[in-house]
Amino acid sequence: MSTVGVIAEYDPFHTGHAWHLAETRRLLGADTAVVCVMSGNWTQRGTCALTDKWTRASLALSGGADLVLELPTVWAVSSAESFARGAAGLLEAAGVVDVLSFGSECGDADKLRRLAACLDSPACQAELSRFPDRGMPFAACRQEVVRRLLGEELAALLSSPNNNLGVEYIRALSALKSPIRPMTIPRRGAGHNAPGARDGFASATHIRALLRAGDWATAEGLLPPGSAEVLRQAPLADLGRCERAVLARLRTMTAGDWAALPDAGAAEGLPDRLVRAARQAGSLNEFYEAAKTRRYAHARLRRLVLWAFLGLTGADRPAYPPYLRVLGFNGRGREVLREMKEKSVLPILTKPAHARSLPEEGRRLFELEAQCTDLYALTLPHPERCGREWRESPVFRP
């Protein structure tokens, strides 16, 4: 039995995700086990997931996954490069994964490998260091350098979000010297963040909007069978419920506090700009409008704000994850777990209590994850009491 790794947010798990898993098994064999590394309660968009991580893990298991591991918040709420390195590090540490399967707009792993090799080359790094500062976002500068080195056709692939993330997965595996083989499945249907549906597939952004608007009839057709019923029972989170608490945190922050966050652009003067924006903003939208420039993308600013609200700093993110946290599994996933216990280079947490016996770095990270979950509880319609991280066992689906 081969084992394939998948990195995802599944916010929520939809028909496109189910198709990706089914297509991966079609290509690799029906008996292929699927290990998903999934973001927890907070996402790379710089906001809360629509539903909690245990609900999302359960839906992933219903949709074709066999084992769901958590990507801790300090990687889940990070740039594409850090997100990929944390997730790939977990798959490599598991010791059982043969292939990493991901969706991309181009569907061509060889082209993405060429881009990854270019970005890691001394020539690219030298060009980036000499690239004139035109107030452009780093991603745009990087794409321009790749255009000069590889040509327009390949460089243009970096403008598509899933291509870009796939390149970062390949770079992360290369940095780890991992034997895991990357493969990519072409995305189907509507594009990333696109409104509406195409051929029965829609973006997670569109589906979240439907669910928040209460349009369950439309959303149901874009979700695997039975998913809508589960989501109807789950309280839907909204960071807007914490907006004043977030603003209160931002108004007390100094430039030094902002500089302690990852990707805070201390050398670019961003912390001082964020202090000024926080002092004049009466809403988060006003904060983003005051802080944004051509150079600082909205997603980057939202992640910085979320790090601040969660009480995290760059120093809280280790070089690599220190443990493997199980969120859910089925019968085949249980077999994978047995193999992992023999081959994994990291402790495997199948019960919250296991975290208490971790070495200091791992125990500290789990405690921070518990803090993040306690704050996630405030985004729900009726805030839950603290401590769920220590009470919740993995989901099991026979």
Side-chain angles (χ1 to χ4, degrees):
M1 179 178 70
S2 62
T3 303
V4 63
V6 173
I7 300 168
E9 289 185 330
Y10 291 155
D11 185 28
F13 189 94
H14 55 65
T15 52
H17 297 134
W19 183 84
H20 170 247
L21 296 187
E23 185 69 1
T24 297
R25 280 204 173 95
R26 185 186 71 80
L27 295 171
L28 297 180
D31 64 342
T32 299
V34 175
V35 176
C36 292
V37 170
M38 188 188 79
S39 301
N41 289 326
W42 303 94
T43 70
Q44 200 192 21
R45 302 186 312 280
T47 190
C48 53
L50 185 69
T51 56
D52 69 80
K53 55 192 175 186
W54 294 281
T55 298
R56 291 176 15 256
S58 178
L59 291 174
L61 293 170
S62 297
D66 297 307
L67 174 64
V68 182
L69 305 175
E70 180 178 17
L71 179 63
T73 298
V74 292
W75 287 280
V77 186
S78 295
S79 66
E81 182 177 0
S82 296
F83 178 96
R85 295 218 170 189
L90 287 172
L91 292 175
E92 170 65 16
V96 298
V97 175
D98 309 302
V99 177
L100 168 60
S101 175
F102 56 89
S104 67
E105 289 84 1
C106 75
D108 190 325
D110 287 335
K111 288 181 178 180
L112 300 182
R113 283 192 190 93
R114 289 182 63 191
L115 286 166
C118 178
L119 290 171
D120 285 332
S121 69
C124 183
Q125 298 303 314
E127 281 290 315
L128 277 174
S129 67
R130 291 195 294 267
F131 201 84
D133 184 359
R134 301 174 184 170
M136 295 169 61
F138 177 74
C141 295
R142 189 175 73 160
Q143 187 171 336
E144 173 60 20
V145 169
V146 172
R147 186 191 66 78
R148 296 180 184 183
L149 295 173
L150 294 182
E152 182 63 41
E153 180 184 354
L154 282 176
L157 298 181
L158 291 175
S159 63
S160 299
N162 291 281
N163 286 342
N164 192 59
L165 199 51
V167 167
E168 293 303 333
Y169 293 152
I170 294 171
R171 294 181 71 197
L173 293 175
S174 176
L176 290 165
K177 296 180 171 54
S178 173
I180 296 174
R181 175 174 63 88
M183 67 175 285
T184 187
I185 307 294
R187 279 179 59 92
R188 293 183 63 183
H192 180 78
N193 284 344
R198 192 174 69 199
D199 302 326
F201 299 94
S203 69
T205 301
H206 179 62
I207 295 171
R208 286 192 300 272
L210 291 174
L211 295 176
R212 291 194 189 284
D215 188 352
W216 290 91
T218 304
E220 188 169 7
L222 304 171
L223 298 168
S227 294
E229 289 81 353
V230 174
L231 291 170
R232 279 179 182 274
Q233 303 298 318
L236 302 186
D238 187 341
L239 187 60
R241 297 187 176 105
C242 297
E243 182 165 18
R244 290 200 176 189
V246 177
L247 288 171
R249 170 63 181 142
L250 302 189
R251 289 186 174 195
T252 64
M253 292 180 68
T254 65
D257 294 329
W258 285 109
L261 306 181
D263 305 319
E268 306 162 1
L270 180 56
D272 288 326
R273 184 181 185 88
L274 296 177
V275 168
R276 292 193 296 271
R279 289 177 176 172
Q280 67 186 37
S283 69
L284 284 178
N285 282 338
E286 288 182 8
F287 173 84
Y288 296 133
E289 286 300 313
K292 75 173 184 178
T293 68
R294 190 166 169 231
R295 186 176 183 85
Y296 307 129
H298 256 294
R300 180 180 178 184
L301 296 174
R302 289 195 300 269
R303 285 194 294 269
L304 286 171
V305 166
L306 187 55
W307 276 77
F309 173 59
L310 296 176
L312 303 172
T313 70
D316 292 321
R317 187 173 64 201
Y320 291 100
Y323 56 76
L324 294 158
R325 170 81 184 285
V326 178
L327 291 178
F329 60 98
N330 60 17
R332 184 155 48 183
R334 178 181 280 154
E335 294 177 26
V336 175
L337 275 173
R338 289 195 189 103
E339 186 180 1
M340 281 172 53
K341 288 177 181 177
E342 297 177 1
K343 298 181 178 179
S344 173
V345 298
L346 291 177
I348 301 170
L349 308 184
T350 54
K351 295 180 180 179
H354 292 164
R356 301 189 191 280
S357 59
L358 288 171
E360 182 179 355
E361 183 181 61
R363 189 170 63 253
R364 167 66 177 153
L365 185 64
F366 192 91
E367 289 169 350
L368 286 174
E369 200 63 52
Q371 173 181 300
C372 291
T373 296
D374 290 343
L375 290 172
Y376 179 83
L378 299 177
T379 69
L380 303 175
H382 303 287
E384 298 174 346
R385 64 189 176 97
C386 292
R388 185 178 183 185
E389 199 73 44
W390 296 100
R391 298 189 301 269
E392 200 80 31
S393 296
V395 176
F396 175 68
R397 298 189 69 86

